[in-house]
Amino acid sequence: MNKSILLLRLSYWISALADFAIAFLVFIPEQMGLADIVYPMGLTSSIAFSWGMMLLIADRKPMERRWVLIPTILVVGLLTITRVVFSQFGMIEFNLSVFLFGAALVIFMSYSYIYANNKTT
């Protein structure tokens, strides 16, 4: 397996596993700073699970579907920024490990995408 495909597959699988974790964890109200489950938690879970499935489908043809990383980078980046903003307003506790994971994932997926694009031109 060449390096481009390996990097893309790692990007897809790490992101998919993170999405599946979010889909599960969002149903734990204490994780979300709430006392009860609310409707938007179900919507978030559905979206996270669906996105994870999309990433696993992209893994079947990694080079042809590398474009999937572009919106994934955007989503992971925005989720990471949202956590920071909400922690700054005191709505949730800041978690350095979650922040570092999000930032590292954005960097890794960006590198994977750029590397794969450079190898196809």
Side-chain angles (χ1 to χ4, degrees):
M1 182 180 317
N2 71 36
K3 185 176 177 181
S4 296
I5 292 174
L6 179 63
L7 289 172
L8 289 172
R9 286 196 161 151
L10 281 171
S11 293
Y12 298 144
W13 276 91
I14 294 168
S15 300
L17 291 174
D19 279 332
F20 295 141
I22 289 169
F24 172 74
L25 291 173
V26 79
F27 278 118
I28 303 171
E30 295 79 22
Q31 288 281 32
M32 302 296 118
L34 300 170
D36 297 314
I37 293 177
V38 293
Y39 178 65
M41 294 167 78
L43 295 175
T44 302
S45 179
S46 299
I47 293 166
F49 184 82
S50 299
W51 202 284
M53 291 303 299
M54 181 183 67
L55 288 162
L56 293 183
I57 291 168
D59 179 63
R60 301 316 315 146
K61 293 184 179 178
M63 289 299 285
E64 294 86 346
R65 296 177 180 156
R66 66 187 178 275
W67 63 268
V68 169
L69 286 181
I70 296 170
T72 305
I73 291 165
L74 179 63
V75 168
V76 173
L78 289 173
L79 287 173
T80 303
I81 290 168
T82 300
R83 273 195 73 88
V84 170
V85 169
F86 274 69
S87 68
Q88 292 300 310
F89 287 118
M91 300 174 96
I92 61 171
E93 188 175 319
F94 180 75
N95 186 323
L96 182 61
S97 61
V98 172
F99 171 75
L100 291 176
F101 177 75
L105 190 53
V106 165
I107 292 167
F108 180 70
M109 287 187 297
S110 299
Y111 175 75
S112 298
Y113 179 79
I114 292 166
Y115 187 86
N117 269 349
N118 288 339
K119 292 301 176 183
T120 60
T121 57

